[in-house]
Amino acid sequence: MKMISFNQIGFRYRLGSQVFRDFSMTLSPGHVYGVLGENGVGKSTLMKLASGVLIPTAGSVTIDGREASLREEATMAKIIYLPEEFSLPALTLDEFRKVTAPFYPSFSDESFEEYCRVLDVVRDRRLDKLSMGQRKRAYLAFAFACRAEWLLLDEPTNGLDVAAKEAFRRLVARYVDEGQSIIISTHSVREIDSLIDHLIILDRKGIVLDASIGEIGSRLRFGRCSAEEEPLYSESTLAGTSGVMVNTTDEESPVDIEMLFMSSLRSTERLRRLFNTKTE
C-alpha cells in the first residue's frame, strides 16, 4: 500500500537536543495533511526525514516500503519537498525545468505553463536573482507540475502576496483532486484551514493529535461556551465567550483549527486522552 511511515524513529541534531524519540506515524495518500506545533517540536525535521534530506538516528522512514534515506531514484521521484527557506541555481526557470523535470516522470509541461500563469511567475530572470516571494512562486509552479505522489510544503505561503496565496489555495485543491497528497507545515493556519482534511499536532513529547477533520468535528464542539462546560480552551469575543468543548451531541461541529491549536497548548494531555494519542 502507498504510504509514508515513520517507524519508531529517533533523531537528534549534532550538539542539539533530541527532537524525536521512538516516534511512529503513518501518512496515507489522497489527503491534505496539516502539521502544526510550536517552534522546535520537529515540524521541519519531519519533512526533511520524509524527503531523505535527514537520516534518523534510530528507526526508519519509508515511502511505499523503501527507506527514504537511501534516496533511490524511483523513491525520490514520488516526493518533492519545498523548504521554508531555500536557494535556487543561477538558471532561469525554463533552464531549471529542462535540467530537473526529467527526474519526475509525471511532470506535465502543460500544467507547468498553466501554473506559471496562475502564480504570475517570472520566467526570464535568473532564479538566484529573484526575491523570496518570486522564488517561492517559481518553485511552487515547478513543484505542482511535477505531479509527484507526495508534495511536502514547509510554510508555503510565507513571502507570498494576497493574490499568490489565493492562487496557491486553488492549486492545492486541484492537486489532491487529481490523486496526489500534500503535507503542509505552517503557522499561518487561517490561510489553509479550508484545505486541510487531516490534522497532526506535535509537541516535544510527540503527537498530541492525529485525526481527520471529520473525527475532530465529531469529538469536539467549537463555538459559544460557558465555564460550566469546562472548555479545553476559551476566549472572550464581542459576541461572548467562545471555545472548544467536548462534543456531547450527534452533530458534527465545524472545526476551528486555530482555536484547536490553542487547545493543544492549554489542554495538551486532555486532548491526548480524548483522541487516545500515545506519547513517545
Side-chain angles (χ1 to χ4, degrees):
M1 181 179 177
K2 295 182 177 181
M3 64 178 64
I4 296 178
S5 296
F6 299 84
N7 310 298
Q8 296 181 303
I9 64 167
F11 184 80
R12 177 194 294 272
Y13 285 100
R14 184 176 296 179
L15 304 179
S17 59
Q18 188 87 20
V19 182
F20 293 113
R21 181 184 289 106
D22 195 26
F23 178 95
S24 296
M25 182 175 69
T26 299
L27 304 176
S28 302
H31 295 287
V32 179
Y33 287 95
V35 182
L36 305 181
E38 293 187 287
N39 289 334
V41 300
K43 301 187 301 298
S44 297
T45 302
L46 207 65
M47 299 277 199
K48 292 174 182 176
L49 288 165
S51 60
V53 174
L54 294 177
I55 300 173
T57 52
S60 64
V61 182
T62 60
I63 302 172
D64 300 347
R66 305 294 295 175
E67 289 204 28
S69 61
L70 297 177
R71 295 187 65 81
E72 296 172 320
E73 183 177 342
T75 303
M76 290 298 98
K78 298 178 180 181
I79 195 164
I80 188 162
Y81 168 51
L82 175 64
E84 179 179 5
E85 296 182 2
F86 58 93
S87 58
L88 289 172
L91 301 171
T92 67
L93 182 57
D94 286 329
E95 292 169 337
F96 179 79
R97 174 189 59 176
K98 184 176 181 180
V99 170
T100 311
F103 291 101
Y104 296 93
S106 297
F107 186 89
S108 168
D109 286 310
E110 182 180 353
S111 295
F112 178 71
E113 297 287 334
E114 179 186 354
Y115 300 158
C116 284
R117 290 195 301 274
V118 170
L119 290 166
D120 192 22
V121 169
V122 177
R123 298 176 58 176
D124 58 354
R125 290 174 54 194
R126 277 176 33 182
L127 295 169
D128 60 327
K129 298 297 184 182
L130 300 179
S131 68
M132 183 182 77
Q134 290 173 328
R135 288 200 310 273
K136 185 158 284 189
R137 292 203 305 270
Y139 198 79
L140 280 169
F142 175 81
F144 278 112
C146 286
R147 299 173 56 82
E149 293 178 14
W150 298 92
L151 180 55
L152 279 57
L153 305 175
D154 194 355
E155 298 291 353
T157 60
N158 280 4
L160 299 183
D161 58 26
V162 173
K165 288 177 181 178
E166 176 57 33
F168 167 77
R169 286 190 287 268
R170 294 199 306 271
L171 292 183
V172 167
R174 174 174 171 179
Y175 197 82
V176 176
D177 283 345
E178 293 176 352
Q180 284 76 33
S181 305
I182 301 180
I183 306 169
I184 302 175
S185 170
T186 184
H187 288 97
S188 305
V189 176
R190 293 292 184 193
E191 294 175 356
I192 61 164
D193 61 353
S194 63
L195 302 172
I196 293 172
D197 64 16
H198 196 107
L199 189 64
I200 297 163
I201 300 179
L202 305 176
D203 72 357
R204 295 184 188 279
K205 292 183 180 180
I207 299 173
V208 178
L209 179 147
D210 179 359
S212 69
I213 294 299
E215 182 184 357
I216 294 168
S218 66
R219 295 195 183 194
L220 298 174
R221 181 172 65 82
F222 299 78
R224 296 287 296 275
C225 67
S226 63
E228 289 74 20
E229 293 179 279
E230 298 182 353
L232 284 80
Y233 169 78
S234 63
E235 59 186 34
S236 296
T237 69
L238 293 175
T241 302
S242 294
V244 182
M245 293 71 63
V246 175
N247 193 350
T248 58
T249 73
D250 293 329
E251 295 184 8
E252 187 173 308
S253 174
V255 176
D256 185 318
I257 294 179
E258 189 168 37
M259 197 171 283
L260 176 60
F261 178 59
M262 294 304 299
S263 299
S264 76
L265 302 179
R266 302 288 179 85
S267 302
T268 311
E269 297 309 318
R270 189 177 170 194
L271 199 60
R272 273 198 174 98
R273 289 194 299 271
L274 282 169
F275 286 88
N276 301 312
T277 307
K278 296 180 180 180
T279 58
E280 296 174 6

